[in-house]
Amino acid sequence: MEIGKLFLKSNSTGIITFSELDWITTHQSNFTRLEESIAIKLGRMLDAGSINIGCRLKS
């Protein structure tokens, strides 16, 4: 998984899953500065209510 793709998917669907949040926290020590800024942006979007924690249904 890449944080850039995760950001785009979360931004377009408005949902981030618990497993994706777990992946972020597990790999954050290996992030570059750019990846860190994306993770911070995702956190701010969660705080603002732009994205929610939930699940995506497969179509």
Side-chain angles (χ1 to χ4, degrees):
M1 185 180 310
E2 295 178 20
I3 191 135
K5 289 180 183 179
L6 175 60
F7 175 80
L8 292 174
K9 188 186 330 181
S10 297
N11 200 19
S12 66
T13 63
I15 302 278
I16 190 164
T17 65
F18 281 113
S19 62
E20 292 166 343
L21 287 172
D22 183 51
W23 180 86
I24 290 171
T25 57
T26 303
H27 292 88
Q28 66 184 352
S29 61
N30 300 325
F31 285 171
T32 63
R33 289 181 65 127
L34 176 61
E35 292 169 329
E36 286 177 11
S37 67
I38 293 170
I40 290 169
K41 179 66 175 173
L42 279 170
R44 289 183 179 159
M45 290 170 70
L46 273 168
D47 289 343
S50 301
I51 59 174
N52 298 302
I53 299 173
C55 65
R56 289 188 201 89
L57 300 176
K58 304 212 189 253
S59 56

